[in-house]
Amino acid sequence: MKWLSVLPQQCILLMTCLLMALEAVPIDIDKTKVKGEGHVEGEKVENPDTGLYYDEYLRQVIDVLETDKHFREKLQTADIEEIKSGKLSRELDLVSHHVRTRLDELKRQEVARLRMLIKAKMDSVQDTGLDHQALLKQFEHLNHQNPDTFEPKDLDMLIKAATSDLENYDKTRHEEFKKYEMMKEHERREYLKTLDEEKRQREESKFEEMKKKHGDHPKVHHPGSKDQLKEVWEEADGLDPNEFDPKTFFKLHDVNNDGFLDEQELEALFTKELEKVYDPKNEEDDMVEMEEERLRMREHVMNEVDINKDRLVTLEEFLRATEKKEFLEPDSWEVMRVCSKCNISLPCFFPVLFWYVYELRKKAEDLQKQKEELQRQHDQLQAQKQELQQVVKQMEQKKLQQGNPPAGPAGELKFQPPGEQKVGDAPKPPVGGDQPLPPGHIQDPAAAKTDQVHP
């Protein structure tokens, strides 16, 4: 997957690219000499996905704002600081009613989408009592307190959120790459542990051969140097290297004709260099590492060329860079090498890998201790349960020995002692029980005693 990053100001509604209609520097180019189909004037260029979770909402807002003439004119005269500070957002009050209505619809759709995402996530963990309003606070690209209308505050929040997210985008990519490299090496070492000695040696030999093969590649030109750009001019653009012209080169590779070389346009210049080192058909070449190398190249060129650090290269900045000594006589450029200690692409992550493995082992030990503690508590509860059951059993036996009836589950007596039956449960006397006994029959004294009525 190609790592995509978009300039903060582009992502701030992609304003500098999509809404500003800047005139390009007039340069005569013989399009017949350029390979392939060139960019057609007036043709709409698809901008790459920003990678933001609200990318579609961002683009829809851009499309709607682009239709308002007043807002477009204000944008053309605004600088990047006015956009970031929120001054431009106040111009939203002056756009047409139709535009505001459409923006309101987009916001309501976005709020509904976020609520569906929240509900789906909470349903997956079987949570109840969902508070959508509280959970919406985690989304900083819109004003959740007013879910129905798109206000200047919404535009301001969208600009600031996109700016902040994209400024941290490269850092996040580097961190993800570190984790990827460490996990890849960790899994390789764990796999080797499962093999016998003979197979392990074969795998190690194969791994060393792949590293050597990966390192055997043609010379990589220094990114942004004259040699590197002339190679693109000749092989990608199909032009005579002896006629290399920086102005013409800039115009050719300013794909969207906005007067800038943005990060995507710069990264495209390094494809030829990267193809010298990485081939998706080769087992030894990792395409994730290729994209990390592309990012390194772009960051290097930006640091050298982007004078005002706005993450855009203007024609003036580009031409000034071609006048430097480094452009004509650059230092050698080395692609990411593999550390002999940790087998991870440099810069070496060996200390980080050691810490990572240590943390994994520590967590495993903690989990084992928790498991043992839970088992101990379980055994203790089982022993207490058995003791209680034994005590209850002994108490039942003691009651039976003393003549007391055993108790039921709720403590009630299983049968009533004589003389304590309920009135409705008293046994009825047999029919004729009140008649006198026949002559010669003597009544049982015990039976006569029970027939006496007690006060």
Side-chain angles (χ1 to χ4, degrees):
M1 163 181 168
K2 184 180 184 297
W3 292 94
L4 297 175
S5 65
V6 179
L7 319 167
Q9 43 275 60
Q10 280 183 309
C11 234
I12 293 174
L13 303 183
L14 304 177
M15 293 188 172
T16 53
C17 295
L18 296 179
L19 300 179
M20 295 182 67
L22 299 177
E23 290 295 329
V25 179
I27 303 174
D28 292 330
I29 302 175
D30 186 357
K31 296 291 184 179
T32 61
K33 296 182 180 180
V34 181
K35 285 184 180 180
E37 296 183 1
H39 174 66
V40 180
E41 192 70 27
E43 180 184 1
K44 186 174 180 181
V45 178
E46 285 294 328
N47 287 278
D49 193 305
T50 63
L52 302 175
Y53 66 88
Y54 48 90
D55 177 78
E56 184 177 357
Y57 173 66
L58 177 67
R59 293 174 182 276
Q60 289 174 336
V61 171
I62 294 170
D63 292 339
V64 173
L65 288 173
E66 191 179 14
T67 63
D68 187 84
K69 182 179 179 181
H70 169 79
F71 193 87
R72 188 184 184 93
E73 290 175 351
K74 286 294 181 181
L75 180 63
Q76 290 177 358
T77 59
D79 58 29
I80 193 63
E81 291 304 321
E82 288 179 325
I83 296 175
K84 288 183 178 181
S85 65
K87 183 177 179 180
L88 184 66
S89 301
R90 294 192 286 271
E91 298 296 331
L92 190 66
D93 290 329
L94 302 177
V95 302
S96 66
H97 175 71
H98 172 72
V99 171
R100 291 297 295 269
T101 301
R102 180 62 185 134
L103 291 173
D104 293 345
E105 293 175 359
L106 290 177
K107 182 178 180 181
R108 287 192 289 268
Q109 292 172 7
E110 177 69 359
V111 171
R113 182 184 74 89
L114 296 177
R115 284 177 171 167
M116 287 180 62
L117 290 175
I118 292 172
K119 187 177 187 303
K121 181 177 180 180
M122 302 307 289
D123 286 347
S124 66
V125 295
Q126 300 296 323
D127 199 353
T128 57
L130 199 63
D131 186 353
H132 288 97
Q133 195 68 12
L135 292 172
L136 280 173
K137 292 181 180 179
Q138 64 184 299
F139 302 110
E140 299 180 351
H141 65 286
L142 49 73
N143 180 16
H144 62 87
Q145 294 179 345
N146 177 15
D148 299 318
T149 57
F150 191 97
E151 303 295 337
K153 183 177 180 180
D154 290 288
L155 182 56
D156 186 43
M157 292 180 69
L158 185 60
I159 290 173
K160 291 179 178 178
T163 303
S164 175
D165 292 343
L166 289 167
E167 285 176 350
N168 295 322
Y169 194 58
D170 287 348
K171 181 179 178 181
T172 302
R173 287 174 58 182
H174 285 308
E175 292 299 321
E176 290 177 350
F177 177 72
K178 287 181 182 180
K179 293 178 182 178
Y180 168 79
E181 287 286 280
M182 289 188 291
M183 283 303 301
K184 184 174 72 171
E185 176 60 17
H186 174 69
E187 290 174 358
R188 189 186 75 86
R189 294 188 182 191
E190 291 298 312
Y191 171 68
L192 291 176
K193 292 179 182 179
T194 65
L195 305 178
D196 56 37
E197 186 63 26
E198 182 180 354
K199 291 183 178 179
R200 187 182 303 112
Q201 290 181 358
R202 286 203 302 265
E203 284 294 324
E204 290 286 14
S205 299
K206 179 182 177 182
F207 182 72
E208 291 300 325
E209 291 176 3
M210 289 173 59
K211 285 199 300 183
K212 184 178 179 180
K213 186 177 179 182
H214 173 71
D216 185 15
H217 56 74
K219 178 184 177 182
V220 176
H221 293 302
H222 194 99
S225 67
K226 185 176 182 179
D227 290 339
Q228 190 258 313
L229 298 185
K230 282 181 67 176
E231 189 173 62
V232 175
W233 173 276
E234 179 181 7
E235 297 187 12
D237 301 333
L239 300 175
D240 187 347
N242 297 321
E243 298 178 0
F244 175 77
D245 178 69
K247 284 187 178 180
T248 305
F249 185 91
F250 185 95
K251 173 63 178 177
L252 282 173
H253 294 278
D254 177 18
V255 180
N256 55 6
N257 292 326
D258 64 352
F260 302 95
L261 289 182
D262 60 37
E263 293 178 344
Q264 283 67 50
E265 291 165 341
L266 278 178
E267 288 184 358
L269 301 179
F270 311 135
T271 300
K272 287 294 179 182
E273 299 303 316
L274 293 169
E275 287 176 349
K276 297 176 182 178
V277 185
Y278 299 95
D279 186 343
K281 298 178 182 179
N282 296 337
E283 183 182 4
E284 67 273 10
D285 297 335
D286 189 331
M287 295 300 103
V288 176
E289 293 178 2
M290 184 187 76
E291 294 306 324
E292 177 70 9
E293 185 66 35
R294 189 192 301 273
L295 175 58
R296 287 182 63 230
M297 290 180 171
R298 189 254 292 165
E299 288 180 328
H300 172 76
V301 172
M302 277 293 186
N303 289 333
E304 295 290 324
V305 181
D306 183 20
I307 298 174
N308 61 358
K309 305 303 178 184
D310 63 352
R311 303 180 74 170
L312 290 169
V313 177
T314 64
L315 177 62
E316 181 183 358
E317 290 173 328
F318 183 77
L319 295 178
R320 187 177 297 182
T322 61
E323 298 171 357
K324 295 181 180 180
K325 180 181 178 181
E326 291 80 3
F327 179 73
L328 300 174
E329 301 176 6
D331 297 330
S332 59
W333 178 265
E334 291 188 3
V335 297
M336 290 184 297
R337 295 177 292 107
V338 175
C339 173
S340 59
K341 293 182 180 179
C342 61
N343 292 323
I344 293 179
S345 299
L346 292 174
C348 181
F349 300 138
F350 183 71
V352 184
L353 176 65
F354 178 81
W355 172 86
Y356 181 73
V357 174
Y358 171 77
E359 286 295 310
L360 284 178
R361 290 178 178 174
K362 185 179 178 181
K363 288 181 179 179
E365 291 175 359
D366 291 341
L367 290 174
Q368 182 63 29
K369 289 179 181 179
Q370 293 178 14
K371 179 181 178 182
E372 293 174 356
E373 176 62 20
L374 290 174
Q375 184 63 42
R376 186 189 66 79
Q377 294 178 3
H378 174 75
D379 295 341
Q380 187 177 5
L381 290 174
Q382 285 295 109
Q384 292 176 356
K385 180 180 177 182
Q386 292 177 0
E387 289 179 3
L388 288 174
Q389 290 176 343
Q390 187 66 25
V391 170
V392 171
K393 186 176 180 180
Q394 292 174 357
M395 292 178 64
E396 295 290 347
Q397 293 175 351
K398 188 174 181 180
K399 287 180 180 180
L400 289 174
Q401 293 174 359
Q402 293 177 352
N404 295 329
E412 74 278 5
L413 296 176
K414 291 185 177 180
F415 61 86
Q416 300 290 339
E420 295 187 6
Q421 291 91 343
K422 297 179 182 178
V423 175
D425 297 336
K428 297 180 179 180
V431 179
D434 293 337
Q435 297 179 359
L437 294 174
H441 184 83
I442 301 174
Q443 186 178 5
D444 185 359
K449 184 176 180 181
T450 57
D451 291 339
Q452 293 178 2
V453 180
H454 299 278

